[in-house]
């Protein structure tokens, strides 16, 4: 079989794009956007049901739609997009051919098939078991089968990614270390392998149980192993969107990472410790000791949190350094004020960084504190937290990078530029409201995954305070706004990709890349030792000031929650 | 012809490989990282957790 | 555009770290240690902790224990379903069954006293959520979870289920009475 070695050069970035990789990136991105469309329609229905004044769906439909919303968003939209990111970060950034494109197509087909089978199971109506599908509550066998088929596809795609890294190294399309963004993608792929392996360990027996071949699934064992899949799958996102932040900073500003060592070491902390925070979900479960809970929930002494705080500093820090070099040096924040806020690639990325850090990060650490979890577990605070990480953090970062991918990979102009410009703001505003008001309502005890918090007609019903209903209403308004923002994204994206104006540039060229066509050799060791990576001195004071604001908010909110905990009934 | 080019490049990069610190070698090798990234959480979270669950005593 | 290109320096590991970065790393690491130490600290000095004491039990065993408590200490029945209200003595073992879609029985506890609460589900996962106090505990089938509670204020509390447990999940709600000290 002849290996396709045809590349084109990208006139925007100078990157060499392998044709089969390009086709696969497109296919995975399209599948992702279709999942987002399905998940988005479902999101509207969920929001309108939990908005107390609207309360749209009947109970059975609400639970069905919530299950489908969770899986389509948390698994299908995000993992399809991540596979596209992996192919881009390996083949395109290394300028090498994609290993085994046919296998990658097979993986893609498995993933599509898995997504279809799983959605079929949910929409049959007998598998409204939520994203978590906690045994011994059972779903139709096709529910688990769909997830397993999808996971096998995703695993194959991860190995195509690792194979591509080998190809690049063997064929010497680059010299030295891989780019930082590729390193972030490696982190994501490693976490993905662990995630999928854990998923297999628990979902395969559960599938066998659903068809009657296994007698019993232990609920505690299920929850423990399932979360190694369920929580880690969201850690893939964290690594992927951090890699995208670095990529966007590099593409838009020519920003250099402040120091390679620090950023890569931070990614190493993700590789080692990010996954163990799956223990966040088991802090009020019986039988597991506090030793296990504390070590795992703290990501081993919060080393992975330190890593996130480092990325949160170095990404804007590198932008600040680049902006200051361009002459935006007035005061602490001229570099930020004069940033391209009208470019959705930048605005989306920067708001993703702020939303992930301030809302998602802080709330996540607090939820994941052993004792504080008692006053938050399974309240709507939890979805408040993960909408901040997964939606404001990951989805918004993916949306931002889409506005770069459309011209760079799909070779189309972005349609409706005005709408594209506004889209990140509308989406962020809506989603921030959703997150904040969910967290507020959760603090008042409102449960998640609950159809009727009024307990209408129940003689033992409980009346939540009026403030809780007000918050749920405001969440509903925010949710609708976020859906509008999501619809704007889908409209711009779909229109651009299928009907957008084709970009024809004189720089466009098909090239044949042969082995050994590496860029100019890097400097030898001796030269490198003398050169300083950093700009030296106190290079990014504005970013440091922002970091201090972040830390203050973090410390205050952390102790406010301890104070709240100290007022509840003593427990031992 | 391609053979020749290749030898030259590999010589250049072999020179470049000298004097690289151990930690950078580890970070440059995705497969060591893959191994660590699977083993560490499997031991700390999955195996330790499952052992504790198995060890839960039976009620009297 | 170096984050998307290989590092310019072949040996980047030996490059000096920028002062702003190292300062932030130290600050973040210290803050991480403080947060880590807060958890063991609270186990020693705080009042709200879980002992994580648990036993495997079959539904039959748990029902029998609960029934024995109800037979001994029932004070009245409430609602059309005749759910017993029990008032066990202070310091005793109290049992609460979670099942589709009911908490059984109802407990009446005394303010300021400690009780050893045993929680277990007979079927699927449930969530014990005491409102408006906002104490939330996961309830498993097959595992009896023991926790010592000390109601600090008299009043009528609600126990709602906050783990999704099927189509009538939202109807699973009960009461817990805390009466003033005699």
């Amino acid at each position: 079989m002849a290996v396709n070695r045809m590349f084109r050069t990208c006139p925007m970035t100078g990157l060499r794009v392998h044709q089969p990789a390009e086709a696969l990136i497109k296919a995975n991105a399209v599948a992702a956007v279709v999942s987002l469309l399905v998940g988005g329609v479902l999101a509207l229905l969920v929001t309108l049901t939990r908005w107390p004044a609207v309360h749209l769906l009947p109970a059975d439909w609400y639970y069905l739609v919530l299950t489908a919303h969770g899986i389509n968003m948390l698994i299908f939209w995000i993992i399809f997009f991540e596979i596209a990111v992996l192919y881009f970060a390996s083949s395109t950034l290394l300028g090498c051919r994609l290993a085994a494109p046919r296998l990658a197509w097979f993986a893609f087909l498995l993933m599509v098939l898995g997504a279809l089978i799983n959605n079929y199971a949910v929409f049959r109506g007998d598998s409204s078991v939520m994203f978590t599908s906690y045994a011994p509550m059972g779903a139709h066998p096709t529910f688990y089968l769909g997830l397993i088929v999808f996971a096998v596809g995703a695993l194959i795609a991860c190995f195509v990614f690792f194979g591509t890294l080998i190809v690049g190294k063997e064929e010497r399309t680059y010299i030295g270390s891989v780019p930082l963004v590729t390193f972030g993608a490696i982190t994501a792929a490693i976490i993905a392998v662990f995630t999928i392996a854990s998923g297999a360990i628990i979902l395969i027996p559960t599938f066998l149980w659903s068809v009657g071949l296994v007698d019993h699934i232990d609920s505690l064992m299920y929850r423990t192993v399932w979360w190694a899949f369920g929580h880690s799958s969201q850690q893939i996102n964290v690594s992927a969107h951090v890699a995208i932040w670095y990529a966007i900073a590099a593409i838009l500003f020519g920003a250099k990472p402040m120091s390679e060592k620090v950023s890569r070491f931070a990614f190493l902390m993700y590789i080692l410790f990010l996954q163990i925070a799956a223990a966040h979900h088991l802090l009020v479960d019986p039988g597991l000791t506090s030793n296990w809970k504390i070590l795992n929930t703290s990501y081993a002494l919060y080393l992975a949190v330190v890593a996130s705080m480092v990325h949160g500093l170095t990404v804007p820090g590198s932008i600040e350094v680049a902006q200051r070099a361009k002459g935006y040096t007035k005061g602490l924040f001229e570099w930020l004020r004069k940033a391209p806020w009208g470019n959705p690639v930048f605005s989306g990325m920067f708001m993703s960084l702020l939303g992930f850090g301030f809302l998602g990060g802080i709330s996540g650490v607090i939820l994941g504190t052993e004792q504080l979890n008692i006053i938050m577990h399974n309240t709507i605070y939890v979805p408040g937290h993960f909408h901040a990480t997964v939606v404001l953090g990951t989805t918004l970062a993916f949306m931002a990078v889409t506005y770069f991918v459309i011209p760079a990979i799909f070779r189309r102009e972005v349609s409706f530029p005005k709408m594209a410009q506004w889209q990140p703001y509308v989406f962020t505003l809506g989603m921030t409201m959703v997150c904040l008001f969910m967290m507020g309502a959760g603090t008042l005890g409102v449960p998640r995954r609950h159809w009727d918090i009024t307990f209408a007609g129940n003689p033992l019903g409980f009346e939540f305070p009026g403030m809780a209903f007000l918050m749920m209403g405001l969440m509903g308004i925010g949710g609708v706004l976020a859906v509008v923002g999501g619809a704007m994204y889908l409209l711009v994206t779909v229109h651009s990709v299928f009907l957008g104006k084709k970009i024809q540039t004189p720089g466009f060229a098909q090239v044949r890349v042969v082995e050994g066509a590496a860029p100019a050799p890097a400097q030898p060791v001796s030269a490198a030792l003398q050169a300083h990576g950093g700009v030296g001195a106190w290079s990014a004071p504005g970013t440091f000031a922002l970091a201090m604001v972040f830390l203050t908010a973090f410390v205050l909110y952390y102790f406010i929650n301890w104070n709240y905990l100290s007022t509840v009934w003593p427990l031992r | 012809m391609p053979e020749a080019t290749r030898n030259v490049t590999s010589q250049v990069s072999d020179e470049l490989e000298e004097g690289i610190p151990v930690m950078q070698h580890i970070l440059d090798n995705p497969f060591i990282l893959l191994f660590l990234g699977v083993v560490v959480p499997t031991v700390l979270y999955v195996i330790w957790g499952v052992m504790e669950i198995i060890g839960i005593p039976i009620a009297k | 555009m170096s984050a998307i290109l290989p590092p310019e320096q072949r040996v980047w590991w030996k490059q000096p770290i920028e002062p702003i970065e190292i300062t932030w790393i130290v600050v973040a690491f210290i803050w991480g240690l403080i947060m880590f130490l807060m958890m063991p600290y609270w186990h020693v000095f705080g009042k709200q902790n879980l002992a994580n004491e648990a036993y495997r039990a079959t539904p039959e065993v748990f029902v029998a224990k609960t029934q024995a408590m109800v037979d001994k200490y029932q004070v009245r029945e409430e609602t059309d379903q005749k759910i017993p209200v029990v008032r066990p003595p202070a310091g005793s073992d109290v049992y609460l069954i979670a099942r589709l879609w009911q908490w059984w029985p109802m407990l009446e506890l005394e303010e300021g006293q400690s009780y050893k609460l045993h929680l277990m589900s007979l079927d699927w996962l449930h969530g014990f959520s005491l409102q408006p106090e906002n104490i939330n505990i996961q309830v498993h089938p097959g595992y009896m979870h023991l926790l010592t509670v000390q109601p600090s204020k008299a009043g009528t509390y609600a126990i709602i289920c906050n783990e999704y447990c099927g189509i009538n999940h939202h109807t699973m709600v009960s009461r817990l009475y805390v009466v003033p000290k005699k």
Side-chain angles (χ1 to χ4, degrees):
Chain A
M1 190 181 75
V3 176
N4 181 342
R5 291 186 190 280
M6 292 311 289
F7 288 73
R8 67 170 175 82
T9 47
C10 171
M12 287 169 72
T13 54
L15 294 165
R16 291 188 306 274
V17 188
H18 185 220
Q19 285 176 343
E22 185 176 20
L24 277 154
I25 292 169
K26 284 183 185 173
N28 280 283
V30 169
V33 169
V34 172
S35 310
L36 182 69
L37 172 63
V38 176
V41 172
L42 299 169
L44 183 64
L45 296 173
V46 171
T47 306
L48 291 180
T49 307
R50 291 227 64 172
W51 183 345
V54 184
H55 209 230
L56 180 71
L57 297 176
D60 53 345
W61 273 98
Y62 167 72
Y63 292 126
L64 185 156
V65 161
L66 185 55
T67 305
H69 166 67
I71 297 175
N72 278 298
M73 290 302 210
L74 288 171
I75 301 281
F76 303 145
W77 142 247
I78 275 171
I79 294 190
F80 272 121
F81 203 97
E82 272 156 5
I83 299 302
V85 171
L86 289 187
Y87 292 158
F88 178 83
S90 55
S91 170
T92 309
L93 290 187
L94 299 179
C96 71
R97 66 182 173 85
L98 190 79
R102 277 164 190 253
L103 194 60
W105 279 111
F106 176 64
F108 175 71
L109 287 180
L110 281 183
M111 288 167 72
V112 171
L113 191 65
L116 290 175
I117 294 174
N118 178 275
N119 271 297
Y120 159 78
V122 174
F123 283 99
R124 279 168 56 93
D126 59 356
S127 301
S128 301
V129 292
M130 300 293 139
F131 170 56
T132 45
S133 58
Y134 290 136
M137 179 194 291
H140 191 264
T142 51
F143 178 90
Y144 310 105
L145 185 69
L147 287 180
I148 293 167
V149 170
F150 182 86
V152 170
L155 190 63
I156 295 173
C158 287
F159 284 107
V160 169
F161 166 78
F162 284 111
T164 307
L165 297 178
I166 298 178
V167 168
K169 189 132 194 108
E170 291 292 310
E171 298 185 357
R172 294 177 184 282
T173 59
Y174 69 99
I175 284 182
S177 310
V178 295
L180 182 58
V181 172
T182 309
F183 193 76
I186 291 175
T187 306
I190 290 170
I191 296 176
V193 171
F194 173 77
T195 300
I196 295 166
S198 309
I201 295 173
I202 199 62
L203 287 175
I204 291 173
T206 310
F207 168 67
L208 296 175
W209 168 74
S210 72
V211 293
L213 293 173
V214 167
D215 267 6
H216 175 70
I217 298 284
D218 183 277
S219 67
L220 187 52
M221 207 71 103
Y222 181 95
R223 261 172 67 79
T224 306
V225 182
W226 191 89
W227 277 114
F229 161 77
H231 199 93
S232 307
S233 65
Q234 308 315 308
Q235 317 285 31
I236 311 172
N237 307 343
V238 174
S239 315
H241 77 227
V242 171
I244 287 175
W245 294 346
Y246 279 111
I248 290 176
I251 292 164
L252 289 185
F253 297 95
K256 296 180 177 188
M258 299 181 88
S259 71
E260 296 275 351
K261 172 157 80 175
V262 168
S263 298
R264 283 173 204 243
F265 197 78
F267 274 124
L268 178 65
M269 292 299 106
Y270 277 5
I271 292 172
L272 298 179
F273 303 122
L274 201 54
Q275 298 109 307
I276 61 178
H280 285 181
H281 300 268
L282 295 139
L283 297 174
V284 294
D285 281 45
L288 295 155
T289 63
S290 286
N291 293 339
W292 182 88
K293 288 179 177 176
I294 291 176
L295 184 83
N296 282 290
T297 200
S298 71
Y299 314 78
L301 280 71
Y302 289 105
L303 289 177
V305 172
V306 173
S308 283
M309 288 168 77
V310 166
H311 292 308
L313 178 90
T314 59
V315 173
S318 66
I319 293 175
E320 179 173 356
V321 171
Q323 287 281 81
R324 282 179 187 273
K326 283 179 200 141
Y328 300 117
T329 50
K330 239 185 279 158
L332 276 180
F333 295 116
E334 194 195 12
W335 64 276
L336 192 57
R337 276 201 318 274
K338 300 276 173 70
W341 289 100
N343 180 348
V345 181
F346 172 76
S347 64
M349 170 260 159
F350 207 83
M351 288 188 287
S352 152
L353 192 139
L354 292 179
F356 178 77
F358 279 88
L359 290 178
I362 293 179
S363 65
V365 167
I366 283 158
L367 258 179
T369 303
E370 194 201 6
Q371 294 93 341
L372 295 180
N373 191 256
I374 297 170
I375 50 174
M376 292 167 176
H377 179 74
N378 271 351
T379 64
I380 205 163
Y381 192 98
V382 178
H385 151 69
F386 72 71
H387 279 78
T389 54
V390 174
V391 187
L392 275 183
T394 307
T395 297
L396 191 57
F398 287 0
M399 286 174 168
V401 82
T402 307
Y403 296 118
F404 162 75
V405 166
I406 291 170
I409 299 287
F410 286 90
R411 311 292 305 137
R412 303 269 187 168
E413 278 176 20
V414 173
S415 311
F416 316 121
K418 271 281 162 219
M419 194 192 287
Q421 215 173 63
W422 281 99
Q423 187 272 329
Y425 295 98
V426 175
F427 189 73
T428 305
L429 177 64
M431 220 4 110
T432 304
M433 286 175 69
V434 168
C435 297
L436 283 176
F437 293 119
M438 274 189 180
M439 289 181 201
T443 307
L444 295 171
V446 175
R448 67 187 291 199
R449 298 174 167 175
H450 202 281
W451 180 68
D452 182 17
I453 58 166
T454 63
F455 304 99
N458 197 320
L460 299 173
F462 171 68
E463 209 173 309
F464 278 104
M467 184 54 101
F469 286 96
L470 177 66
M471 297 240 197
M472 292 303 283
L474 290 168
M475 179 215 76
I477 295 168
V480 171
L481 203 57
V483 169
V484 170
M488 288 161 75
Y489 167 79
L490 287 167
L491 187 64
V492 170
T493 308
V494 173
H495 192 275
S496 311
V497 166
F498 293 104
L499 304 166
K501 203 170 148 223
K502 282 197 176 139
I503 299 175
Q504 307 287 4
T505 38
F508 184 84
Q510 296 280 358
V511 289
R512 189 177 165 83
V513 173
V514 292
E515 290 182 36
Q523 293 160 285
V525 173
S526 48
L529 284 179
Q530 291 151 16
H532 277 220
V535 201
W538 206 250
S539 48
T543 303
F544 197 78
L546 282 179
M548 282 299 150
V549 172
F550 171 79
L551 186 72
T552 312
F554 198 165
V555 174
L556 279 178
Y557 189 58
Y558 183 75
F559 285 110
I560 284 172
N561 278 284
W562 279 107
N563 187 49
Y564 171 25
L565 177 73
S566 72
T567 63
V568 309
W569 292 3
L571 288 167
R572 256 178 299 124
Chain B
M1 217 301 270
E3 261 319 294
T5 349
R6 205 176 183 182
N7 284 342
V8 173
T9 0
S10 61
Q11 249 173 17
V12 172
S13 46
D14 283 346
E15 252 168 59
L16 290 169
E17 297 305 309
E18 280 166 35
I20 291 177
V22 182
M23 203 57 211
Q24 185 175 332
H25 268 301
I26 294 173
L27 287 170
D28 276 349
N29 188 331
F31 297 95
I32 295 178
L33 297 175
L34 175 62
F35 176 78
L36 291 174
V38 173
V39 168
V40 171
T42 303
V43 171
L44 287 182
Y45 178 89
V46 180
I47 295 180
W48 184 8
V50 167
M51 297 293 288
E52 289 201 339
I53 295 172
I54 292 170
I56 296 175
I58 294 171
K60 289 176 286 277
Chain C
M1 295 203 294
S2 76
I4 60 168
L5 294 176
E8 284 164 25
Q9 320 289 339
R10 183 62 192 100
V11 181
W12 42 262
W13 183 257
K14 289 195 179 161
Q15 284 173 10
I17 301 175
E18 295 217 15
I20 186 174
E21 282 184 311
I22 194 72
T23 314
W24 182 241
I25 291 169
V26 170
V27 168
F29 183 74
I30 292 171
W31 173 234
L33 272 186
I34 292 172
M35 291 194 296
F36 177 75
L37 292 173
M38 265 312 281
M39 291 187 273
Y41 168 85
W42 201 260
H43 271 282
V44 180
F45 298 102
K47 288 209 172 80
Q48 294 79 12
N49 290 290
L50 296 182
N52 301 312
E53 191 181 355
Y55 300 92
R56 274 168 213 284
T58 59
E60 294 75 35
V61 168
F62 195 70
V63 169
K65 283 171 187 273
T66 313
Q67 191 63 55
M69 172 191 73
V70 171
D71 292 345
K72 235 167 152 180
Y73 303 118
Q74 177 169 345
V75 287
R76 60 180 187 274
E77 281 175 344
E78 280 192 14
T79 77
D80 303 344
Q81 299 174 342
K82 300 204 181 314
I83 301 171
V85 179
V86 291
R87 181 151 182 200
S92 68
D93 288 283
V94 297
Y95 299 85
L96 182 61
I97 289 175
R99 64 184 170 207
L100 302 172
W101 287 282
Q102 188 188 46
W103 300 96
W104 193 91
M106 274 191 241
L107 301 170
E108 192 168 281
L109 309 178
E110 204 173 288
E111 181 186 352
Q113 301 288 350
S114 285
Y115 297 85
K116 199 135 213 195
L117 176 61
H118 298 53
L119 285 172
M120 193 173 121
S121 159
L122 303 185
D123 34 56
W124 292 350
L125 279 166
H126 295 288
F128 171 92
S129 177
L130 186 78
Q131 296 300 339
E133 199 64 14
N134 210 6
I135 291 174
N136 307 280
I137 312 282
Q138 191 76 38
V139 185
H140 280 263
Y143 294 95
M144 194 165 74
H145 194 173
L146 272 65
L147 44 144
T148 309
V149 294
Q150 193 187 336
S152 49
K153 205 170 144 239
T156 302
Y157 293 82
I159 300 172
I160 61 178
C161 178
N162 72 358
E163 182 61 80
Y164 171 67
C165 58
I167 186 67
N168 285 325
H169 163 53
H170 47 272
T171 63
M172 187 167 165
V173 57
S174 181
R175 286 211 180 126
L176 186 147
Y177 297 102
V178 177
V179 293
K181 229 175 191 166
K182 277 170 292 192

